Amino acid sequence: MLAAADFRSLGTGARVVTPHAGALDGAVAAVQELLAQVEQACSRFRGDSEITQLNQATGRPVPVSPLLFLAIETALRVSRMTAGAVDPTVGTAMRIIGYDRDFGQLPEDGKFTLAVRPVPGYERVRIDPARRTVTLQPDVELDLGASAKALAADLAARLAAEVTQGPVLVSLGGDIAVAGEAPVAGWPVLIAEDSGAALDSEGEVVAIRAGGLATSSTTVRRWRQQGIERHHIVDPRTGSQARVYWRTVSVVAASCVDANAAATASIVWGADAPGWIEAHKLAARLVGADGEVLRLNGWPAAALPV
């Protein structure tokens, strides 16, 4: 029987699951400590975070911690992988559309000034691995939300597996990573638009054995600004929220980072997403704005391993 613990971290719901109940407390403690470090390094909603200080020091090389450097290095790899569809230089755009604090603290109908423009682009971020420095051009404000949470899930799963010497699943608000030898039937995962849905909610259940699974959705993390409905996924080409072609995209990949990159980019790409997913042979489930479901590359219609 699987043992699980739920808590809040990184502004979302977190879950740690292991088949060994006696190892759960140790796994949770290790994961919580790691996530606190990720938040201190990567949260743009904290005035004392590393990334906030980096965003205020544009135009010059800034030494950063190994964790923040890894997060930025990962974000740049994701940008190259998705040809800029997922870009960490969306910080200013995110503030303009009103996402300037933890989601739970957003006002119900905040005021905003419309100023839409393409984001600066990930090419305007320079990293120096030898010196572990990051240089931002003056017009760049980083937001690692599209990749840092997925990276945290990957790191947390590996750490927890080392601590427990057994298999572990870590879920961070729709970003899921597993490590260690999976249970015989795989790890059951409920596919839902809202990552906070109860495990016994209606919906499809799939099983994964390795890597990660991520779901990106335009139907949750929504808020209103002067009567306009907003969601949190920005199209870097416009600097505004992505057009809703897909309600939800779920992807399985070798890591949670890669799964999240593909899922988020698919929301941005719209009609072009299936071709990219097919070319990269990723199992995926895409739900259109009209509710029609598209399953690609072996994504099951029933509860089968993927």
Side-chain angles (χ1 to χ4, degrees):
M1 178 178 293
L2 298 178
D6 296 300
F7 53 93
R8 298 285 299 179
S9 187
L10 304 182
T12 191
R15 168 167 290 174
V16 177
V17 186
T18 174
H20 308 302
L24 182 60
D25 288 347
V28 170
V31 169
Q32 287 179 324
E33 181 178 353
L34 172 66
L35 297 183
Q37 295 170 3
V38 172
E39 183 174 30
Q40 177 62 43
C42 301
S43 174
R44 66 182 177 90
F45 304 134
R46 290 183 54 160
D48 64 344
S49 72
E50 264 200 278
I51 197 168
T52 295
Q53 296 169 25
L54 175 62
N55 280 332
Q56 296 171 349
T58 58
R60 61 181 176 84
V62 177
V64 299
S65 68
L67 182 55
L68 181 57
F69 191 88
L70 174 61
I72 293 173
E73 190 175 42
T74 299
L76 296 178
R77 179 180 72 80
V78 164
S79 294
R80 293 190 295 270
M81 167 185 167
T82 61
V86 182
D87 191 304
T89 67
V90 297
T92 300
M94 295 293 278
R95 284 194 296 105
I96 287 173
I97 67 172
Y99 201 174
D100 57 359
R101 66 203 76 180
D102 277 330
F103 181 77
Q105 299 174 356
L106 290 177
E108 291 185 4
D109 200 351
K111 295 182 179 180
F112 75 105
T113 300
L114 184 61
V116 177
R117 58 183 178 273
V119 304
Y122 67 94
E123 300 91 345
R124 298 183 66 78
V125 180
R126 296 284 184 269
I127 61 173
D128 184 338
R131 294 179 173 83
R132 210 174 68 223
T133 60
V134 179
T135 306
L136 307 181
Q137 296 303 309
D139 58 346
V140 170
E141 180 180 343
L142 292 180
D143 179 328
L144 303 180
S147 58
K149 183 158 63 70
L151 174 63
D154 283 327
L155 295 176
R158 290 199 291 268
L159 174 62
E162 291 175 4
V163 169
T164 64
Q165 294 295 296
V168 174
L169 176 147
V170 173
S171 173
L172 300 176
D175 289 338
I176 296 170
V178 300
E181 185 176 352
V184 174
W187 294 101
V189 177
L190 172 69
I191 305 302
E193 292 186 348
D194 184 354
S195 61
L199 288 179
D200 57 357
S201 301
E202 291 186 5
E204 296 183 16
V205 175
V206 297
I208 61 173
R209 299 185 183 281
L213 186 156
T215 296
S216 291
S217 176
T218 59
T219 63
V220 294
R221 288 187 178 263
R222 297 183 71 94
W223 67 99
R224 297 181 69 83
Q225 286 183 320
Q226 296 179 206
I228 298 176
E229 192 83 10
R230 295 283 184 181
H231 67 74
H232 70 292
I233 299 178
V234 166
D235 184 340
R237 297 168 295 189
T238 65
S240 187
Q241 63 183 24
R243 185 172 71 89
V244 181
Y245 189 93
W246 305 108
R247 290 170 53 93
T248 302
V249 179
S250 300
V251 179
V252 174
S255 69
C256 188
V257 165
D258 288 354
N260 177 274
T264 303
S266 293
I267 297 289
V268 173
W269 286 327
D272 294 330
W276 189 92
I277 290 173
E278 289 276 21
H280 288 79
K281 298 180 172 58
L282 298 175
R285 177 181 183 269
L286 300 88
V287 183
D290 60 358
E292 184 175 352
V293 178
L294 175 64
R295 295 176 172 85
L296 300 175
N297 297 319
W299 187 282
L304 300 174
V306 297

